[in-house]
Amino acid sequence: MSQPRLFVDAWDPAYGASFEAGGGGGPAAPSSAQVDAEVELPATDWRAIGVRRDVPAPDVVLLVDGVRRIDASVWTVEDDGGSFPGIAASYAAGVVRCDLERGAAELAGAKVGRGLFTASPSAQDVVAGRIRYPVHRVGGTGELSKLPAAVQAPLTALEVAVSDAARTDGDLLVVDGPLRSRRQLPRTLGYIKTQHSQYLDARLTAVVTGLTPGQRCPVFRLGTAWGGYSWYLRLPVSGGAPWAGIVRVECSAELTETEAIELADLSLVTLPRFASTPYKDPRAPQNLIPIAGLERRLRGLLGDARLLHRVLTAAARGIRR
């Protein structure tokens, strides 16, 4: 009996895995989304697609990302004796402008936001000196475990704001993560580096896991309210695991099939050049080099976590007096 093949994920375990562990060593849960696999090619003709020689890389690529941090967990006590949990969170969004013609990258804009997220009807903004945490009231009962997800909407709005301010004609915008509410932005790609769901059947998945670096699968369409056109591509990677270096890219469902295929071709001549290497990044190659640098810069803009915790503690004491 031969021994089973063993692959070690290149990502540092502190960041989870580059795929969600499942029985097949790839995306874990089959998705219920309806998939139209015949956008670019008939399903029976699916094959790996390489770089098209007549597709030039864009002169300017903008990469946008956001970070968030919980500065403190809080509780509010109501007049009727009830109480509500809350979180004081800081978040920031920024965009890196990469001029491929000059080989230069620079921070093109960044914004910081803060908020107190709670279902409490009586909560007020927390202000301490120049630091303000405006109230963001959440629906439902406001369980503590669900509050971190409430930070995503204002963070996305911040990402849209910094993106709009930095855009020029002919650029390509790459969003780190799903497009979500940013589908209306022109020439925009969602870049998903961790694969959670299995969208394709076994035969089509075999095309994806058989990709070599610098190849992509045909464009397909996800028929859901949050869906759109999508495709997988493999970044430069030395490991041989089935999903090593594979990312999923998406674009707006409002585009024509021809426009979506053009963006897929454009992604193949653009994204691999930004791939990180294991000795520099524990999430290589999926964590793109400009995104990694942007994340470090944004975390610095959030401020000192311990100092903010002390500020919040002091502010809370003042409110109770």
Side-chain angles (χ1 to χ4, degrees):
M1 181 181 296
S2 62
Q3 289 186 329
R5 293 185 300 165
L6 177 67
F7 299 101
V8 176
D9 191 12
W11 282 25
D12 186 322
Y15 293 97
S18 59
F19 53 82
E20 290 296 306
S31 172
S32 60
Q34 294 294 316
V35 175
D36 176 7
E38 302 197 345
V39 172
E40 185 171 6
L41 289 175
T44 53
D45 295 337
W46 258 48
R47 55 176 174 78
I49 297 174
V51 172
R52 302 189 194 280
R53 301 301 178 188
D54 58 343
V55 177
D59 293 334
V60 173
V61 180
L62 302 175
L63 296 101
V64 63
D65 194 15
V67 299
R68 54 186 174 179
R69 185 187 66 205
I70 297 175
D71 295 332
S73 297
V74 302
W75 287 88
T76 60
V77 179
E78 308 300 314
D79 291 339
D80 62 3
S83 61
F84 289 88
I87 57 171
S90 296
Y91 48 94
V95 58
V96 176
R97 184 181 188 276
C98 298
D99 188 324
L100 301 186
E101 195 171 26
R102 295 192 299 118
E106 60 185 2
L107 182 67
K111 292 181 178 291
V112 177
R114 307 187 198 276
L116 175 63
F117 296 82
T118 179
S120 167
S122 66
Q124 298 180 359
D125 296 358
V126 176
V127 182
R130 293 182 298 172
I131 304 297
R132 175 184 291 271
Y133 288 81
V135 172
H136 292 257
R137 285 192 174 82
V138 301
T141 57
E143 299 97 320
L144 183 60
S145 61
K146 296 182 179 180
L147 292 177
V151 184
Q152 185 60 53
L155 174 55
T156 298
L158 212 58
E159 291 177 356
V160 171
V162 297
S163 300
D164 286 345
R167 302 216 68 174
T168 57
D169 291 341
D171 63 11
L172 177 68
L173 178 66
V174 179
V175 173
D176 190 53
L179 288 178
R180 295 192 180 95
S181 60
R182 295 165 288 202
R183 297 182 181 279
Q184 78 284 0
L185 299 176
R187 303 180 310 284
T188 300
L189 300 177
Y191 177 82
I192 298 92
K193 55 179 174 278
T194 303
Q195 310 310 317
H196 297 274
S197 299
Q198 181 74 50
Y199 294 110
L200 305 174
D201 64 32
R203 187 174 59 81
L204 300 185
T205 296
V207 175
V208 175
T209 56
L211 296 174
T212 61
Q215 291 183 331
R216 67 171 177 87
C217 77
V219 175
F220 57 94
R221 184 166 182 163
L222 297 174
T224 64
W226 44 263
Y229 297 103
S230 194
W231 58 94
Y232 293 97
L233 64 82
R234 194 186 293 270
L235 300 171
V237 65
S238 57
W243 288 85
I246 288 181
V247 298
R248 185 171 67 85
V249 189
E250 63 181 25
C251 63
S252 174
E254 298 179 5
L255 300 174
T256 66
E257 293 183 354
T258 298
E259 290 171 331
I261 294 168
E262 289 175 351
L263 279 176
D265 286 334
L266 194 60
S267 73
L268 202 55
V269 299
T270 304
L271 296 178
R273 68 176 61 203
F274 296 125
S276 52
T277 53
Y279 75 91
K280 288 185 177 181
D281 194 309
R283 290 176 287 173
Q286 289 98 317
N287 200 39
L288 303 180
I289 293 173
I291 292 294
L294 178 58
E295 288 177 344
R296 290 192 295 269
R297 182 71 176 271
L298 293 177
R299 289 193 182 98
L301 294 178
L302 293 182
D304 186 279
R306 292 172 297 180
L307 177 60
L308 288 170
H309 192 276
R310 290 198 295 269
V311 166
L312 286 163
T313 301
R317 289 172 181 163
I319 292 172
R320 292 197 300 267
R321 291 174 183 169

